[in-house]
Amino acid sequence: MEESKRKSQRTLTGAQAFQLHDTYGFPIDLTLEMAAEQGLTVDEEGFRRLMAEQRDRAKKDAKEKKTGNADISVYADLLERSGTVTFTGYDQISGEGTILGLLTGGAPVPVAHQGAEVSVILDRTPFYAEGGGQLSDAGTITTSAGGEVEIYDVQAPMKGLVVHRGKVTKGEIGQGEQAFAAIDIERRRAISRSHTATHLVHRALRGALGESAAQAGSENSPGRLRFDFTATGAVPTAVLKDTEDEVNAVLINDLDVRAYVTTQQEARNMGALALFGEKYGDEVRVVEVGDYSRELCGGTHVARSGQLGLVKLLGEASIGSGVRRVEALVGLDAFRFLARESLLVSQLSEQFKTPREQLPERLNTMVTRLRDAERELQRLRAAQLLQDAAGIAASAEDISGMAFVAHRAPDGAEADDLRKLALDVRGRVQRGRPAAVMIVGRPADRPVVVIAVNEAGRGFGLSAGTLVGIAAKALGGGGGGKPDVAQGGGAPITDGNEAALDTAFDAVRDALRDTLRSGR
């Protein structure tokens, strides 16, 4: 915002708003609110366009992640030869299997040696392949001959085929070998807690907002969840608080979590919710958390709701037209977050010598006083700057009968103050005499130039917009405006390079002489 004001720009670009959201996690709603407080607008259309482009890239990346950039026909051939891979991960965390296929660089190979990046296909596996919003398992695959593969990703590029991606860390592995697959149990447990928590958050939000709050995407990762849902507007803070309370009450009640397979029609009759992006056959898997939640789901979950420990909602924000996103921490991650928050509040309480419960009021008072002080400082700075207007106007130099005022304002003067000064000085020039006023200042590291031309000067063919373009070019920047007043900016100027300002003044002097000479 300070940069925009320094450049006299009244709109934050879509790229700036997108960077705040994408890189720093700063929600667009807060950007809009804070920009409005500063008298700025935001290019929402540009922001939405960049968000759409990001979603398209994400879809493309997800597709490439599924296939590992291998030709889909390779997977089709493997599936035809090996048959459907059996998933044992609902009941087992490890188990034996046979290596049915190996890929390196997207091509089938009989053997993969130490150091190779490899894709492994087993006839049966406890590894959960990424899907339904749940991230994949990680772990190891070892062979009877001593080979070992560290698995960091598991995908299902085709229905019935599970591909384990990893790196051979010991020996070598070969097609047809017997192998032992073992998942990272701590990672699995953390992801399962997040997945069950997602179901609970979904149920609580629907209860608060109605059935219109339909799932529009999710991600369940270790200790953290992200849940997207349809909504007509921002979710009130009170609703988020009630949602969090309701979910944690379910945890305290330690409800039984069970999964079973039934027909799609029977599941629909029971009121089970279908998850976003899932394709269901005649038989479906239903996951219930007591009588509180019932959803169709192929993911992994905890045995009882109390195993989640704690769920902490971090907030919600818009991610597109009609779609909101809520994020939350689960289990130990949620506890650690609250512990850090508590420590921070304790430090603030001690710093301001104020009880915890009175901190919001104390901070609000301090922020108000600070803003008032900043406004008063700005007023005094502008008044002091304008006090010199008469003397500055009297210092005008004569260029072929025209008054030219060239003034360097003190560093730190805001662009708005420079503009006011230029207009004030212009008004103090002898009536009827052509005049151009050039004020240059440096609010921060970059110079700002303002040029004002009076009516008589415009009658001679002078244009503030043209002159400020010349000055800004000399400063390595750009600018423009109306014939009577215009503003521009330049590249950063170091303290040892003040000569650039003199160059800008001289460039305008030369332009004035040329204009007056050609006009006569």
Side-chain angles (χ1 to χ4, degrees):
M1 289 176 183
E2 290 176 356
E3 180 183 359
S4 296
K5 287 183 176 181
R6 190 167 63 244
K7 294 180 178 179
S8 296
Q9 297 172 346
R10 291 297 174 186
T11 300
L12 295 182
T13 66
Q16 289 172 318
F18 179 76
Q19 183 183 25
L20 286 170
H21 169 85
D22 188 58
T23 305
Y24 302 105
F26 203 78
I28 183 62
D29 292 345
L30 198 53
T31 299
L32 292 169
E33 180 180 339
M34 294 184 69
E37 289 178 355
Q38 299 294 321
L40 302 175
T41 59
V42 179
D43 178 12
E44 289 188 70
E45 183 178 345
F47 171 80
R48 304 296 180 194
R49 183 178 65 254
L50 291 171
M51 285 293 294
E53 291 175 0
Q54 183 196 52
R55 285 193 293 272
D56 290 341
R57 287 194 300 271
K59 290 178 181 178
K60 180 181 179 182
D61 292 344
K63 184 177 180 181
E64 291 176 350
K65 185 179 181 182
K66 284 283 186 186
T67 63
N69 293 317
D71 193 315
I72 197 67
S73 63
V74 174
Y75 292 124
D77 182 60
L78 279 169
L79 183 61
E80 184 178 352
R81 287 190 290 109
S82 65
T84 300
V85 175
T86 301
F87 174 62
T88 62
Y90 290 136
D91 306 311
Q92 300 178 7
I93 61 172
S94 61
E96 295 182 347
T98 303
I99 299 177
L100 301 179
L102 295 172
L103 299 174
T104 60
V109 294
V111 177
H113 302 281
Q114 184 171 338
E117 296 286 338
V118 64
S119 295
V120 183
I121 295 88
L122 302 172
D123 63 337
R124 54 194 294 113
T125 179
F127 282 83
Y128 182 86
E130 181 177 331
Q134 179 173 328
L135 297 189
S136 73
D137 283 326
T140 58
I141 294 177
T142 56
T143 67
S144 54
E148 183 176 298
V149 184
E150 181 180 342
I151 302 301
Y152 52 76
D153 184 32
V154 186
Q155 297 291 329
M158 301 182 71
K159 185 177 181 180
L161 187 69
V162 178
V163 179
H164 310 75
R165 298 199 183 112
K167 184 175 183 178
V168 182
T169 55
K170 184 187 299 184
E172 62 181 29
I173 62 171
Q175 186 171 328
E177 285 188 283
Q178 292 299 302
F180 183 77
I183 66 171
D184 180 340
I185 186 59
E186 292 304 321
R187 174 182 170 88
R188 161 70 76 81
R189 285 172 177 166
I191 292 176
S192 296
R193 287 193 291 268
S194 295
H195 202 157
T196 303
T198 298
H199 283 213
L200 300 181
V201 171
H202 185 190
R203 169 66 178 82
L205 284 172
R206 284 177 68 92
L209 303 175
E211 294 186 2
S212 60
Q215 181 171 343
S218 66
E219 181 179 280
N220 308 300
S221 56
R224 192 180 188 100
L225 69 87
R226 187 184 74 206
F227 181 73
D228 302 339
F229 57 99
T230 55
T232 55
V235 179
T237 303
V239 172
L240 289 178
K241 180 181 180 303
D242 290 344
T243 297
E244 184 177 88
D245 287 348
E246 184 174 318
V247 168
N248 282 290
V250 173
L251 272 53
I252 291 174
N253 292 332
D254 196 26
L255 302 180
D256 181 49
V257 179
R258 71 187 192 104
Y260 55 90
V261 176
T262 185
T263 65
Q264 186 175 155
Q265 183 59 49
E266 181 61 25
R268 189 180 293 114
N269 293 340
M270 291 188 296
L273 297 176
L275 292 182
F276 172 81
E278 291 284 349
K279 295 180 180 179
Y280 303 103
D282 292 334
E283 287 194 334
V284 294
R285 184 169 181 263
V286 178
V287 174
E288 292 181 340
V289 182
D291 292 328
Y292 180 76
S293 169
R294 182 180 291 114
E295 294 191 15
L296 273 58
C297 181
T300 63
H301 291 268
V302 298
R304 303 192 65 82
S305 64
Q307 293 175 336
L308 272 60
L310 179 68
V311 174
K312 175 58 185 174
L313 297 185
L314 299 179
E316 66 90 44
S318 168
I319 61 168
S321 180
V323 181
R324 311 292 297 184
R325 170 172 292 171
V326 64
E327 297 189 61
L329 297 176
V330 184
L332 196 55
D333 291 80
F335 172 78
R336 287 169 177 161
F337 173 82
L338 291 176
R340 289 194 300 269
E341 293 281 290
S342 180
L343 177 61
L344 175 61
V345 172
S346 295
Q347 291 172 337
L348 288 172
S349 179
E350 182 178 351
Q351 182 81 20
F352 292 106
K353 309 299 181 185
T354 303
R356 283 168 164 254
E357 62 274 10
Q358 296 178 15
L359 272 175
E361 183 180 353
R362 178 66 185 277
L363 290 174
N364 183 60
T365 299
M366 292 191 66
V367 169
T368 300
R369 291 172 58 186
L370 179 60
R371 287 176 176 171
D372 290 343
E374 288 176 342
R375 282 194 289 267
E376 179 63 15
L377 181 61
Q378 179 69 15
R379 187 189 67 78
L380 293 173
R381 185 182 294 141
Q384 184 178 15
L385 198 62
L386 293 175
Q387 279 180 353
D388 301 329
I392 295 171
S395 68
E397 56 190 277
D398 184 84
I399 298 179
S400 301
M402 186 207 72
F404 175 56
V405 178
H407 179 71
R408 166 75 188 278
D411 287 347
E414 296 293 336
D416 286 346
D417 295 336
L418 299 177
R419 190 181 186 91
K420 291 176 183 177
L421 179 61
L423 295 174
D424 194 344
V425 172
R426 184 185 67 179
R428 295 174 183 271
V429 176
Q430 180 182 352
R431 186 180 298 276
R433 185 184 181 189
V437 179
M438 178 178 176
I439 306 294
V440 176
R442 194 164 61 173
D445 60 329
R446 297 175 182 271
V448 171
V449 55
V450 178
I451 294 181
V453 176
N454 64 6
E455 186 176 352
R458 297 196 297 276
F460 272 80
L462 300 179
S463 169
T466 301
L467 294 174
V468 88
I470 294 170
K473 184 178 180 181
L475 293 170
K482 298 179 181 179
D484 60 332
V485 61
Q487 182 174 317
I493 293 181
T494 60
D495 292 336
N497 189 27
E498 300 292 332
L501 299 178
D502 294 331
T503 301
F505 284 125
D506 290 339
V508 173
R509 287 188 181 93
D510 291 340
L512 290 173
R513 293 189 182 98
D514 292 342
T515 301
L516 293 170
R517 191 180 301 117
S518 62
R520 291 181 176 179

